Amino acid sequence: MPKVSTIAIDGPAASGKTVVGRNLAQKLGFQFLDTGLMYRAAALATLQQSTSLSDDAALANLVSEVSITVTDTPNGMRVHLNDEDVTDSLHNSEVEAIVSRVAAVTGVRTVLVEKQREMAEPGSIVMVGRDIGTVVLADADIKVFLEASAEERARRRQAERSQSDAKTSVASVQEKLEARDLQDKQRTESPLKPADDAHILVTDGLSIDQVVTEIVKFVTARE
Ligand code: CDP
């Protein structure tokens, strides 16, 4: 049995969790799960059903009734909401504007966390999100919290999205990221924060490969 089986990566918006987590999983031959996609799918379902954002019970009920499936494919993660592949709609501005509100609802998190734990059951997994090291996999073998300045994260996000959203300024991207971070940090249920035993990596000025290499060092140190 390898000593490291579960790796939790958390951090604020656009801190590089997804690309770092994916590359790390590939390197280790592990499964990869980006839990943010599940919250984004829940937010999309809310928009499709016009569920009231102020009705926690209705939001929780909606998420327990829809089917959200996440599959790791050679072309990246694909997400199905009921039978529809909604992957390409999950990063639009309507979803992004409400996802943190939907994710703050306890009943929504209960449903999604249960699915995430089921997916982690076979082991050998890199899971990324906001509460993986603190809640979902609180006993993960390795926990990493990625930090970067808001300016750097906004630049990265703008570059990622520039083709589809060329007119958005870095300043407006930064404003939206910071608003989402604030909501994620201030919520009562599973707020965004590093686990006490997380390695905190500040990634300003580091390449993706450098961050992956740092995490691989934590893994090999355990073996
Ligand atoms: O890619 P980015 O960092 O911008 O966001 P994401 O990881 O796709 O997550 C979108 C939103 O889902 C976050 O702002 C949180 O509100 C929520 N989320 C969460 O509450 N818990 C998680 N484990 C993952 C995401």
mmCIF file of all heavy atoms in Angstrom, residues 10-15 17-18 34-37 39-40 91 96 99-101 103-104 109 116 128-132 136 157 161 177 180-181 184 187 190, ligand 1:
data_model
loop_
_atom_site.group_PDB
_atom_site.id
_atom_site.type_symbol
_atom_site.label_atom_id
_atom_site.label_comp_id
_atom_site.label_asym_id
_atom_site.label_seq_id
_atom_site.Cartn_x
_atom_site.Cartn_y
_atom_site.Cartn_z
ATOM 1 N N ASP A 10 -6.890 22.934 -1.306
ATOM 2 C CA ASP A 10 -7.890 23.992 -1.167
ATOM 3 C C ASP A 10 -7.249 25.342 -1.456
ATOM 4 O O ASP A 10 -6.026 25.466 -1.499
ATOM 5 C CB ASP A 10 -8.453 23.996 0.268
ATOM 6 C CG ASP A 10 -9.269 22.744 0.557
ATOM 7 O OD1 ASP A 10 -10.300 22.546 -0.110
ATOM 8 O OD2 ASP A 10 -8.858 21.952 1.439
ATOM 9 N N GLY A 11 -8.111 26.346 -1.616
ATOM 10 C CA GLY A 11 -7.598 27.700 -1.816
ATOM 11 C C GLY A 11 -8.663 28.590 -2.404
ATOM 12 O O GLY A 11 -9.724 28.114 -2.826
ATOM 13 N N PRO A 12 -8.398 29.894 -2.414
ATOM 14 C CA PRO A 12 -9.384 30.848 -2.940
ATOM 15 C C PRO A 12 -9.545 30.723 -4.456
ATOM 16 O O PRO A 12 -8.838 29.931 -5.103
ATOM 17 C CB PRO A 12 -8.790 32.207 -2.547
ATOM 18 C CG PRO A 12 -7.329 31.972 -2.416
ATOM 19 C CD PRO A 12 -7.173 30.559 -1.937
ATOM 20 N N ALA A 13 -10.453 31.531 -4.987
ATOM 21 C CA ALA A 13 -10.772 31.472 -6.411
ATOM 22 C C ALA A 13 -9.530 31.738 -7.268
ATOM 23 O O ALA A 13 -8.733 32.626 -6.957
ATOM 24 C CB ALA A 13 -11.843 32.511 -6.726
ATOM 25 N N ALA A 14 -9.398 30.930 -8.307
ATOM 26 C CA ALA A 14 -8.316 31.082 -9.289
ATOM 27 C C ALA A 14 -6.918 31.012 -8.677
ATOM 28 O O ALA A 14 -5.987 31.643 -9.161
ATOM 29 C CB ALA A 14 -8.489 32.381 -10.082
ATOM 30 N N SER A 15 -6.785 30.221 -7.608
ATOM 31 C CA SER A 15 -5.456 30.089 -7.000
ATOM 32 C C SER A 15 -4.631 29.015 -7.699
ATOM 33 O O SER A 15 -3.499 28.751 -7.314
ATOM 34 C CB SER A 15 -5.588 29.779 -5.508
ATOM 35 O OG SER A 15 -6.457 28.693 -5.305
ATOM 36 N N LYS A 17 -5.735 25.780 -8.197
ATOM 37 C CA LYS A 17 -6.024 24.437 -7.667
ATOM 38 C C LYS A 17 -6.297 23.420 -8.772
ATOM 39 O O LYS A 17 -5.803 22.305 -8.729
ATOM 40 C CB LYS A 17 -7.282 24.459 -6.773
ATOM 41 C CG LYS A 17 -7.241 25.382 -5.617
ATOM 42 C CD LYS A 17 -8.584 25.439 -4.897
ATOM 43 C CE LYS A 17 -9.743 25.882 -5.757
ATOM 44 N NZ LYS A 17 -9.813 27.288 -6.106
ATOM 45 N N THR A 18 -7.112 23.838 -9.735
ATOM 46 C CA THR A 18 -7.567 22.864 -10.728
ATOM 47 C C THR A 18 -6.427 22.370 -11.617
ATOM 48 O O THR A 18 -6.228 21.163 -11.755
ATOM 49 C CB THR A 18 -8.703 23.471 -11.586
ATOM 50 O OG1 THR A 18 -9.726 23.897 -10.687
ATOM 51 C CG2 THR A 18 -9.264 22.460 -12.562
ATOM 52 N N ASP A 34 -12.484 17.812 -9.190
ATOM 53 C CA ASP A 34 -12.634 19.252 -8.962
ATOM 54 C C ASP A 34 -14.037 19.484 -8.411
ATOM 55 O O ASP A 34 -15.018 19.495 -9.154
ATOM 56 C CB ASP A 34 -12.432 19.976 -10.300
ATOM 57 C CG ASP A 34 -12.672 21.470 -10.192
ATOM 58 O OD1 ASP A 34 -12.942 21.961 -9.078
ATOM 59 O OD2 ASP A 34 -12.586 22.148 -11.230
ATOM 60 N N THR A 35 -14.134 19.661 -7.093
ATOM 61 C CA THR A 35 -15.459 19.746 -6.464
ATOM 62 C C THR A 35 -16.190 21.052 -6.803
ATOM 63 O O THR A 35 -17.413 21.124 -6.707
ATOM 64 C CB THR A 35 -15.353 19.627 -4.929
ATOM 65 O OG1 THR A 35 -14.514 20.697 -4.450
ATOM 66 C CG2 THR A 35 -14.777 18.299 -4.512
ATOM 67 N N GLY A 36 -15.434 22.084 -7.219
ATOM 68 C CA GLY A 36 -16.070 23.348 -7.596
ATOM 69 C C GLY A 36 -17.088 23.142 -8.715
ATOM 70 O O GLY A 36 -18.122 23.825 -8.768
ATOM 71 N N LEU A 37 -16.800 22.187 -9.585
ATOM 72 C CA LEU A 37 -17.723 21.933 -10.709
ATOM 73 C C LEU A 37 -19.090 21.469 -10.204
ATOM 74 O O LEU A 37 -20.120 21.765 -10.810
ATOM 75 C CB LEU A 37 -17.138 20.860 -11.648
ATOM 76 C CG LEU A 37 -15.864 21.256 -12.388
ATOM 77 C CD1 LEU A 37 -15.322 20.053 -13.171
ATOM 78 C CD2 LEU A 37 -16.126 22.434 -13.324
ATOM 79 N N TYR A 39 -20.535 22.370 -7.346
ATOM 80 C CA TYR A 39 -21.269 23.543 -6.841
ATOM 81 C C TYR A 39 -21.740 24.413 -8.003
ATOM 82 O O TYR A 39 -22.830 24.990 -7.969
ATOM 83 C CB TYR A 39 -20.402 24.334 -5.850
ATOM 84 C CG TYR A 39 -20.217 23.554 -4.569
ATOM 85 C CD1 TYR A 39 -19.113 22.738 -4.372
ATOM 86 C CD2 TYR A 39 -21.208 23.570 -3.585
ATOM 87 C CE1 TYR A 39 -18.974 21.977 -3.224
ATOM 88 C CE2 TYR A 39 -21.076 22.816 -2.425
ATOM 89 C CZ TYR A 39 -19.959 22.016 -2.258
ATOM 90 O OH TYR A 39 -19.834 21.253 -1.122
ATOM 91 N N ARG A 40 -20.910 24.472 -9.043
ATOM 92 C CA ARG A 40 -21.304 25.241 -10.227
ATOM 93 C C ARG A 40 -22.522 24.584 -10.894
ATOM 94 O O ARG A 40 -23.435 25.271 -11.362
ATOM 95 C CB ARG A 40 -20.132 25.337 -11.216
ATOM 96 C CG ARG A 40 -19.051 26.293 -10.741
ATOM 97 C CD ARG A 40 -17.792 26.242 -11.610
ATOM 98 N NE ARG A 40 -16.769 27.144 -11.114
ATOM 99 C CZ ARG A 40 -16.609 28.406 -11.488
ATOM 100 N NH1 ARG A 40 -17.398 28.925 -12.403
ATOM 101 N NH2 ARG A 40 -15.661 29.160 -10.968
ATOM 102 N N HIS A 91 -18.884 27.944 -16.353
ATOM 103 C CA HIS A 91 -18.026 29.080 -16.004
ATOM 104 C C HIS A 91 -18.602 30.395 -16.509
ATOM 105 O O HIS A 91 -17.895 31.389 -16.581
ATOM 106 C CB HIS A 91 -16.601 28.828 -16.514
ATOM 107 C CG HIS A 91 -15.928 27.725 -15.746
ATOM 108 N ND1 HIS A 91 -15.999 26.400 -16.127
ATOM 109 C CD2 HIS A 91 -15.241 27.747 -14.579
ATOM 110 C CE1 HIS A 91 -15.363 25.658 -15.225
ATOM 111 N NE2 HIS A 91 -14.894 26.452 -14.286
ATOM 112 N N GLU A 96 -21.400 32.119 -12.063
ATOM 113 C CA GLU A 96 -20.381 32.641 -11.149
ATOM 114 C C GLU A 96 -20.973 33.653 -10.157
ATOM 115 O O GLU A 96 -20.522 33.747 -9.017
ATOM 116 C CB GLU A 96 -19.242 33.271 -11.947
ATOM 117 C CG GLU A 96 -17.915 32.985 -11.325
ATOM 118 C CD GLU A 96 -16.853 32.659 -12.352
ATOM 119 O OE1 GLU A 96 -16.388 33.604 -12.997
ATOM 120 O OE2 GLU A 96 -16.489 31.479 -12.513
ATOM 121 N N VAL A 99 -22.925 31.238 -7.470
ATOM 122 C CA VAL A 99 -22.452 29.946 -6.961
ATOM 123 C C VAL A 99 -22.113 29.982 -5.472
ATOM 124 O O VAL A 99 -22.439 29.039 -4.727
ATOM 125 C CB VAL A 99 -21.284 29.381 -7.822
ATOM 126 C CG1 VAL A 99 -20.054 30.280 -7.811
ATOM 127 C CG2 VAL A 99 -20.907 27.980 -7.386
ATOM 128 N N SER A 100 -21.523 31.078 -4.996
ATOM 129 C CA SER A 100 -21.139 31.111 -3.579
ATOM 130 C C SER A 100 -22.362 31.160 -2.665
ATOM 131 O O SER A 100 -22.323 30.644 -1.544
ATOM 132 C CB SER A 100 -20.229 32.313 -3.283
ATOM 133 O OG SER A 100 -18.978 32.086 -3.884
ATOM 134 N N ARG A 101 -23.425 31.774 -3.136
ATOM 135 C CA ARG A 101 -24.675 31.798 -2.340
ATOM 136 C C ARG A 101 -25.248 30.376 -2.235
ATOM 137 O O ARG A 101 -25.613 29.912 -1.150
ATOM 138 C CB ARG A 101 -25.666 32.780 -3.002
ATOM 139 C CG ARG A 101 -27.083 32.681 -2.531
ATOM 140 C CD ARG A 101 -27.242 33.043 -1.034
ATOM 141 N NE ARG A 101 -28.487 32.484 -0.531
ATOM 142 C CZ ARG A 101 -28.614 31.774 0.580
ATOM 143 N NH1 ARG A 101 -27.578 31.555 1.368
ATOM 144 N NH2 ARG A 101 -29.778 31.293 0.931
ATOM 145 N N ALA A 103 -23.616 27.613 -2.594
ATOM 146 C CA ALA A 103 -22.678 26.760 -1.854
ATOM 147 C C ALA A 103 -22.691 27.031 -0.357
ATOM 148 O O ALA A 103 -22.138 26.255 0.422
ATOM 149 C CB ALA A 103 -21.261 26.964 -2.400
ATOM 150 N N ALA A 104 -23.322 28.128 0.048
ATOM 151 C CA ALA A 104 -23.361 28.438 1.487
ATOM 152 C C ALA A 104 -24.481 27.687 2.202
ATOM 153 O O ALA A 104 -24.553 27.690 3.435
ATOM 154 C CB ALA A 104 -23.539 29.942 1.677
ATOM 155 N N ARG A 109 -24.613 21.469 0.690
ATOM 156 C CA ARG A 109 -23.287 20.897 0.957
ATOM 157 C C ARG A 109 -23.400 19.445 1.428
ATOM 158 O O ARG A 109 -22.596 18.604 1.055
ATOM 159 C CB ARG A 109 -22.529 21.736 2.007
ATOM 160 C CG ARG A 109 -22.369 23.193 1.622
ATOM 161 C CD ARG A 109 -21.288 23.890 2.430
ATOM 162 N NE ARG A 109 -19.960 23.425 2.039
ATOM 163 C CZ ARG A 109 -19.298 23.894 0.982
ATOM 164 N NH1 ARG A 109 -19.798 24.844 0.239
ATOM 165 N NH2 ARG A 109 -18.105 23.403 0.682
ATOM 166 N N GLN A 116 -18.913 13.421 -2.872
ATOM 167 C CA GLN A 116 -17.453 13.567 -2.966
ATOM 168 C C GLN A 116 -16.754 12.474 -2.153
ATOM 169 O O GLN A 116 -15.763 11.884 -2.594
ATOM 170 C CB GLN A 116 -17.044 14.966 -2.462
ATOM 171 C CG GLN A 116 -17.504 16.066 -3.416
ATOM 172 C CD GLN A 116 -17.672 17.425 -2.755
ATOM 173 O OE1 GLN A 116 -17.245 17.647 -1.629
ATOM 174 N NE2 GLN A 116 -18.306 18.353 -3.460
ATOM 175 N N VAL A 128 -9.865 18.731 -5.148
ATOM 176 C CA VAL A 128 -9.639 20.166 -4.944
ATOM 177 C C VAL A 128 -10.944 20.899 -4.648
ATOM 178 O O VAL A 128 -12.005 20.508 -5.142
ATOM 179 C CB VAL A 128 -8.913 20.830 -6.148
ATOM 180 C CG1 VAL A 128 -7.660 20.078 -6.541
ATOM 181 C CG2 VAL A 128 -9.805 20.989 -7.351
ATOM 182 N N GLY A 129 -10.848 21.967 -3.826
ATOM 183 C CA GLY A 129 -12.053 22.728 -3.491
ATOM 184 C C GLY A 129 -11.775 23.801 -2.457
ATOM 185 O O GLY A 129 -10.769 24.520 -2.540
ATOM 186 N N ARG A 130 -12.695 23.934 -1.494
ATOM 187 C CA ARG A 130 -12.554 24.954 -0.450
ATOM 188 C C ARG A 130 -12.491 24.314 0.941
ATOM 189 O O ARG A 130 -11.942 24.896 1.866
ATOM 190 C CB ARG A 130 -13.780 25.902 -0.443
ATOM 191 C CG ARG A 130 -14.017 26.670 -1.733
ATOM 192 C CD ARG A 130 -12.951 27.730 -1.916
ATOM 193 N NE ARG A 130 -13.173 28.585 -3.088
ATOM 194 C CZ ARG A 130 -13.087 28.203 -4.361
ATOM 195 N NH1 ARG A 130 -12.770 26.968 -4.648
ATOM 196 N NH2 ARG A 130 -13.275 29.070 -5.343
ATOM 197 N N ASP A 131 -13.117 23.138 1.077
ATOM 198 C CA ASP A 131 -13.291 22.519 2.399
ATOM 199 C C ASP A 131 -12.820 21.073 2.375
ATOM 200 O O ASP A 131 -13.271 20.255 3.160
ATOM 201 C CB ASP A 131 -14.789 22.538 2.767
ATOM 202 C CG ASP A 131 -15.636 21.775 1.739
ATOM 203 O OD1 ASP A 131 -15.169 21.611 0.588
ATOM 204 O OD2 ASP A 131 -16.736 21.318 2.084
ATOM 205 N N ILE A 132 -11.909 20.759 1.457
ATOM 206 C CA ILE A 132 -11.516 19.344 1.329
ATOM 207 C C ILE A 132 -10.661 18.924 2.527
ATOM 208 O O ILE A 132 -10.937 17.914 3.175
ATOM 209 C CB ILE A 132 -10.790 19.072 -0.026
ATOM 210 C CG1 ILE A 132 -11.571 19.671 -1.203
ATOM 211 C CG2 ILE A 132 -10.572 17.564 -0.213
ATOM 212 C CD1 ILE A 132 -13.008 19.240 -1.315
ATOM 213 N N VAL A 136 -14.298 17.555 3.969
ATOM 214 C CA VAL A 136 -14.622 16.402 3.106
ATOM 215 C C VAL A 136 -13.658 15.240 3.363
ATOM 216 O O VAL A 136 -14.088 14.106 3.593
ATOM 217 C CB VAL A 136 -14.600 16.800 1.605
ATOM 218 C CG1 VAL A 136 -14.980 15.614 0.728
ATOM 219 C CG2 VAL A 136 -15.524 17.982 1.348
ATOM 220 N N ARG A 157 -6.830 34.368 -14.128
ATOM 221 C CA ARG A 157 -8.208 34.037 -14.534
ATOM 222 C C ARG A 157 -8.558 34.768 -15.832
ATOM 223 O O ARG A 157 -9.177 34.210 -16.727
ATOM 224 C CB ARG A 157 -9.160 34.393 -13.396
ATOM 225 C CG ARG A 157 -10.624 34.082 -13.573
ATOM 226 C CD ARG A 157 -10.967 32.685 -14.040
ATOM 227 N NE ARG A 157 -10.453 31.545 -13.324
ATOM 228 C CZ ARG A 157 -11.052 30.893 -12.330
ATOM 229 N NH1 ARG A 157 -12.206 31.276 -11.905
ATOM 230 N NH2 ARG A 157 -10.494 29.839 -11.789
ATOM 231 N N ARG A 161 -9.589 33.015 -19.429
ATOM 232 C CA ARG A 161 -10.900 33.266 -20.025
ATOM 233 C C ARG A 161 -10.838 34.248 -21.177
ATOM 234 O O ARG A 161 -11.868 34.578 -21.752
ATOM 235 C CB ARG A 161 -11.861 33.853 -18.963
ATOM 236 C CG ARG A 161 -11.990 33.040 -17.720
ATOM 237 C CD ARG A 161 -13.085 31.976 -17.860
ATOM 238 N NE ARG A 161 -12.861 30.876 -16.934
ATOM 239 C CZ ARG A 161 -13.286 30.837 -15.688
ATOM 240 N NH1 ARG A 161 -13.980 31.826 -15.207
ATOM 241 N NH2 ARG A 161 -13.026 29.799 -14.919
ATOM 242 N N LEU A 177 -13.722 38.018 -8.109
ATOM 243 C CA LEU A 177 -13.041 36.948 -7.353
ATOM 244 C C LEU A 177 -13.061 37.271 -5.858
ATOM 245 O O LEU A 177 -13.342 36.410 -5.027
ATOM 246 C CB LEU A 177 -11.563 36.833 -7.761
ATOM 247 C CG LEU A 177 -11.177 36.310 -9.135
ATOM 248 C CD1 LEU A 177 -9.656 36.217 -9.234
ATOM 249 C CD2 LEU A 177 -11.794 34.955 -9.391
ATOM 250 N N ARG A 180 -16.409 36.777 -4.236
ATOM 251 C CA ARG A 180 -16.702 35.347 -4.025
ATOM 252 C C ARG A 180 -15.878 34.812 -2.844
ATOM 253 O O ARG A 180 -16.393 34.080 -1.996
ATOM 254 C CB ARG A 180 -16.383 34.602 -5.325
ATOM 255 C CG ARG A 180 -17.007 33.260 -5.470
ATOM 256 C CD ARG A 180 -17.435 32.983 -6.902
ATOM 257 N NE ARG A 180 -16.405 33.116 -7.889
ATOM 258 C CZ ARG A 180 -15.495 32.188 -8.185
ATOM 259 N NH1 ARG A 180 -15.497 31.044 -7.540
ATOM 260 N NH2 ARG A 180 -14.617 32.382 -9.141
ATOM 261 N N ASP A 181 -14.593 35.205 -2.780
ATOM 262 C CA ASP A 181 -13.743 34.754 -1.661
ATOM 263 C C ASP A 181 -14.328 35.180 -0.322
ATOM 264 O O ASP A 181 -14.344 34.407 0.629
ATOM 265 C CB ASP A 181 -12.334 35.372 -1.756
ATOM 266 C CG ASP A 181 -11.505 34.781 -2.871
ATOM 267 O OD1 ASP A 181 -11.885 33.731 -3.424
ATOM 268 O OD2 ASP A 181 -10.468 35.389 -3.203
ATOM 269 N N ASP A 184 -17.189 33.075 0.548
ATOM 270 C CA ASP A 184 -16.742 31.719 0.897
ATOM 271 C C ASP A 184 -16.075 31.674 2.279
ATOM 272 O O ASP A 184 -16.187 30.689 3.004
ATOM 273 C CB ASP A 184 -15.779 31.171 -0.173
ATOM 274 C CG ASP A 184 -16.478 30.912 -1.511
ATOM 275 O OD1 ASP A 184 -17.722 30.826 -1.538
ATOM 276 O OD2 ASP A 184 -15.771 30.797 -2.542
ATOM 277 N N ARG A 187 -18.969 32.386 5.307
ATOM 278 C CA ARG A 187 -20.144 31.541 5.553
ATOM 279 C C ARG A 187 -19.936 30.707 6.817
ATOM 280 O O ARG A 187 -18.799 30.411 7.203
ATOM 281 C CB ARG A 187 -20.428 30.660 4.325
ATOM 282 C CG ARG A 187 -19.390 29.600 4.092
ATOM 283 C CD ARG A 187 -19.674 28.814 2.813
ATOM 284 N NE ARG A 187 -18.663 27.813 2.614
ATOM 285 C CZ ARG A 187 -18.151 27.477 1.445
ATOM 286 N NH1 ARG A 187 -18.580 28.032 0.334
ATOM 287 N NH2 ARG A 187 -17.232 26.540 1.371
ATOM 288 N N SER A 190 -18.677 25.233 6.705
ATOM 289 C CA SER A 190 -17.443 24.891 5.991
ATOM 290 C C SER A 190 -16.794 26.065 5.276
ATOM 291 O O SER A 190 -16.589 26.037 4.060
ATOM 292 C CB SER A 190 -17.730 23.798 4.948
ATOM 293 O OG SER A 190 -18.471 22.759 5.497
HETATM 294 O O1 CDP B 1 -12.246 27.855 -10.159
HETATM 295 P P1 CDP B 1 -12.572 28.753 -8.990
HETATM 296 O O2 CDP B 1 -11.522 28.687 -7.927
HETATM 297 O O3 CDP B 1 -12.893 30.159 -9.392
HETATM 298 O O4 CDP B 1 -13.930 28.238 -8.360
HETATM 299 P P2 CDP B 1 -14.436 26.748 -8.125
HETATM 300 O O5 CDP B 1 -13.380 25.943 -7.430
HETATM 301 O O6 CDP B 1 -14.995 26.208 -9.393
HETATM 302 O O7 CDP B 1 -15.627 26.971 -7.060
HETATM 303 C C1 CDP B 1 -16.755 27.762 -7.340
HETATM 304 C C2 CDP B 1 -17.469 28.061 -6.045
HETATM 305 O O8 CDP B 1 -17.986 26.843 -5.506
HETATM 306 C C3 CDP B 1 -16.628 28.656 -4.922
HETATM 307 O O9 CDP B 1 -16.524 30.072 -4.985
HETATM 308 C C4 CDP B 1 -17.364 28.187 -3.657
HETATM 309 O O10 CDP B 1 -18.436 29.046 -3.360
HETATM 310 C C5 CDP B 1 -17.935 26.844 -4.086
HETATM 311 N N1 CDP B 1 -17.152 25.698 -3.605
HETATM 312 C C6 CDP B 1 -17.336 25.305 -2.299
HETATM 313 O O11 CDP B 1 -18.066 25.953 -1.546
HETATM 314 N N2 CDP B 1 -16.723 24.187 -1.825
HETATM 315 C C7 CDP B 1 -15.912 23.471 -2.617
HETATM 316 N N3 CDP B 1 -15.356 22.353 -2.127
HETATM 317 C C8 CDP B 1 -15.688 23.866 -3.944
HETATM 318 C C9 CDP B 1 -16.314 25.003 -4.407
#
